[in-house]
Amino acid sequence: MIRVCTGSRLHLGFFDLPGAGPWPTLEGDAGLPRLAWGGVGMMIDRPGVVVAVQPASEWSSSGPCAERALAFAQTVAQHLPGDPLDLHVESCPAEHSGLGTGTQLALAVGLAVARSRCARVGVWQLARWLGRGKRSCLGIHGFRRGGFLIEATHAEGRFAPLLLRRDFPPHWPITLIEPQRLVGTHGTQEKQAFAALREVPRTSHAEALARLAFLEMVPALRPLDPRRFGSAVTDFNRRVGEMFRPWQGGIYADPAIAQIVAKLRGAEICGVAQSSWGPTIVAFAEAGEVARLLHGEEVAITKCRALNQGVRVISSER
């Protein structure tokens, strides 16, 4: 049996929006490929993805997201032919919750299939086969290495390179808040959103966002300054939300998210952000304090920590 274990990805925001035409360089040239996105994120230990595979007489899958996991496995098997496999997804966060579940599940399944074939296929090759990393590669970088991550902008059709990786202080508290009955933007709706955002005039947010990331967040990790980090994360995430306001209708993806952020900020929780399209909110604060402040709200609360290592693969004989 091959077991693959990874965490979840928090996406704290992009640096800029792609325009409808070619982007100029700093020198003013307009003939280069259009750049896109770039952003900041990190890996957390919970909720994580654990996938186990073993030889079988026919293809089968079980557990959460079983059908999607099976589709990922059979896609990889087209490139790595071999005997059928039985897949069991032992744990997996909900899809479309802002935690990068699709990428973590795809890569975990892909790696499990590759190892079961004794094939040393790299993560980037798996990502190509599985169609991951088209807008952001933070989940791929996080799958490989864990930690706090900043990726660069990249030309369309290429993977975004990693600009910076740091271990995130393992003792800093991280709490996930998921409003009930909300689902993050995905699928056709997400594609429509990004298409519409291409027509939004470029803003001056990019420079401010880069300064917050490199001159506030990163220095706050060494030496340790959680209030400085939290303040920078909140400001960064709010500015990203301003860029997406024309489509979201607000800084956050739903009024319920905005209300929770406001309540936590009003109680002087200094680091609060929406992850990706939501609905998951991350607070860099103790879970008990967050639960007390949100008593009576219809939310699920998860206590977690930073994950500073990449994917783990465990082989066992049965």
Side-chain angles (χ1 to χ4, degrees), residues 191-216:
K191 292 177 182 178
Q192 291 172 345
F194 279 116
L197 287 165
R198 285 182 179 275
E199 305 304 322
V200 176
R202 292 182 65 199
T203 70
S204 59
H205 284 258
E207 182 178 354
L209 290 169
R211 287 179 176 274
L212 283 167
F214 287 100
L215 301 182
E216 294 296 330

Side-chain angles (χ1 to χ4, degrees), residues 6-17:
T6 183
S8 290
R9 177 233 64 201
L10 296 177
H11 198 304
L12 302 174
F14 293 111
F15 283 122
D16 208 349
L17 298 175

Side-chain angles (χ1 to χ4, degrees), residues 238-283:
R238 179 185 59 79
R239 290 172 183 265
V240 172
E242 288 284 359
M243 292 195 297
F244 284 79
R245 183 193 286 272
W247 191 85
Q248 288 187 151
I251 292 176
Y252 302 101
D254 190 274
I257 297 174
Q259 289 176 355
I260 290 170
V261 172
K263 181 176 286 190
L264 295 176
R265 293 289 294 143
E268 298 188 354
I269 300 295
C270 64
V272 188
Q274 172 182 294
S275 181
S276 187
W277 287 108
T280 297
I281 304 160
V282 57

Side-chain angles (χ1 to χ4, degrees), residues 62-126:
S62 59
C65 300
E67 290 186 7
R68 196 174 188 194
L70 182 60
F72 288 142
Q74 293 179 329
T75 295
V76 173
Q78 292 175 7
H79 302 274
L80 300 174
D83 293 335
L85 296 168
D86 171 65
L87 287 80
H88 178 56
V89 182
E90 296 181 9
S91 64
C92 182
E95 296 182 275
H96 317 308
S97 59
L99 296 174
T101 299
T103 292
Q104 298 307 306
L105 180 63
L107 296 178
V109 169
L111 186 57
V113 172
R115 291 295 177 88
S116 73
R117 307 284 202 242
C118 298
R120 293 289 175 176
V121 179
V123 169
W124 293 107
Q125 184 60 67
L126 291 172

